[in-house]
Amino acid sequence: QVTARNVIGLIDNDSKTTIVIGAHYDHLGKGMQGSSLSPNSEHKIHNGADDNASGTSGLIELARYFSQNNVKERHNFLFIAFSGEELGLIGSKYFCSAPTVALENMICMVNMDMIGRLDDTKGIVVSGWGTSPVWGKYIPKIAEKHQLKVAVDSSGIGASDHTSFYLKNIPATHFFTGSHGDYHKVTDDTDKINAAGIAKVIGVISEVVLKIDQDEVAPVFVKAESQNG
């Protein structure tokens, strides 16, 4: 047994309501937990540059942006770097069972997991699309502005931390630039990362979050169907 920690930062805008932005910062370590897909992987460092250093980098950048933009938004912003995601969303499940902010005051959750391999010909996959009409209201136009193709998955349940929030009836979405052959392998390293692509994805997310923050109507939660679109 080990003690794992979520790392949390709050921008307190003196609001009753909060927007949550998250990413998981754990990966496979030295390949001892049994999830590695590399042969003879034990004792080999798995840096997880895409999974999920890319999402964690996006989280840090969004926290920097919203804390330094000299704007007092309508909602508070809660930034969470989750641990234990690779072992079954342990960090986000724990947070949702013992939240630092009341769950009923969270208007939505935006999750980033593996946003480091953007291929402009394929674009991004946005999951949790069906958890609220708000995603369809803002994401397509903003993505088009950034020349970013979008495919959607309506389901709120998936293999990342947005699931824990969806199961608490919070509108939750998840940004993902696609699977690849280096997934859960020692070859998921920085030389494969599309840094400009991460910046593009983060640009879209920041604008979506700002639109939600400025909207006088809070996102409506919807029980999502498991359907691709």
Side-chain angles (χ1 to χ4, degrees):
Q1 291 186 347
V2 298
T3 299
R5 292 175 173 85
N6 295 326
V7 181
I8 304 173
L10 174 69
I11 298 177
D12 187 351
N13 289 319
D14 300 316
S15 176
K16 181 181 178 181
T17 51
T18 299
I19 293 172
V20 180
I21 301 175
H24 75 89
Y25 74 94
D26 64 301
H27 191 51
L28 307 187
K30 292 187 177 181
M32 306 296 284
Q33 71 181 52
S35 298
S36 176
L37 297 177
S38 289
N40 304 313
S41 61
E42 291 190 359
H43 305 291
K44 294 180 181 178
I45 294 174
H46 295 64
N47 283 319
D50 188 27
D51 185 15
N52 188 28
S54 63
T56 306
S57 298
L59 180 72
I60 293 170
E61 174 59 18
L62 286 169
R64 183 203 65 78
Y65 171 73
F66 284 110
S67 65
Q68 297 179 12
N69 64 353
N70 296 317
V71 175
K72 185 174 182 179
E73 286 85 7
R74 293 163 52 92
H75 307 282
N76 305 321
F77 285 77
L78 190 67
F79 299 91
I80 313 177
F82 298 105
S83 187
E85 191 266 3
E86 299 286 9
L87 295 174
L89 316 186
I90 292 173
S92 57
K93 286 178 182 177
Y94 176 80
F95 176 83
C96 287
S97 70
T100 59
V101 172
L103 293 175
E104 59 266 27
N105 293 336
M106 297 178 188
I107 67 167
C108 67
M109 189 273 184
V110 176
N111 185 50
M112 297 167 286
D113 190 355
M114 297 176 63
I115 59 170
R117 297 284 193 98
L118 179 65
D119 180 339
D120 284 321
T121 64
K122 297 179 180 178
I124 58 170
V125 178
V126 180
S127 300
W129 191 268
T131 67
S132 176
V134 75
W135 311 124
K137 181 179 180 181
Y138 293 125
I139 292 176
K141 290 181 181 178
I142 293 172
E144 183 179 7
K145 170 186 165 184
H146 287 263
Q147 298 182 318
L148 185 63
K149 294 181 180 179
V150 175
V152 304
D153 179 359
S154 294
S155 178
I157 295 176
S160 197
D161 294 303
H162 61 293
T163 299
S164 300
F165 291 80
Y166 168 72
L167 294 174
K168 296 294 184 179
N169 296 335
I170 297 169
T173 193
H174 166 60
F175 287 80
F176 174 59
T177 55
S179 58
H180 48 76
D182 298 304
Y183 174 73
H184 278 204
K185 294 181 180 179
V186 296
T187 50
D188 180 9
D189 221 331
T190 54
D191 61 318
K192 310 283 182 64
I193 291 297
N194 179 353
I198 296 177
K200 181 183 284 192
V201 174
I202 293 303
V204 169
I205 293 173
S206 65
E207 290 190 32
V208 170
V209 169
L210 282 171
K211 286 291 188 181
I212 293 172
D213 180 75
Q214 294 163 1
D215 200 327
E216 294 185 1
V217 180
V220 176
F221 175 78
V222 177
K223 203 80 171 176
E225 299 292 333
S226 297
Q227 178 182 340
N228 294 329

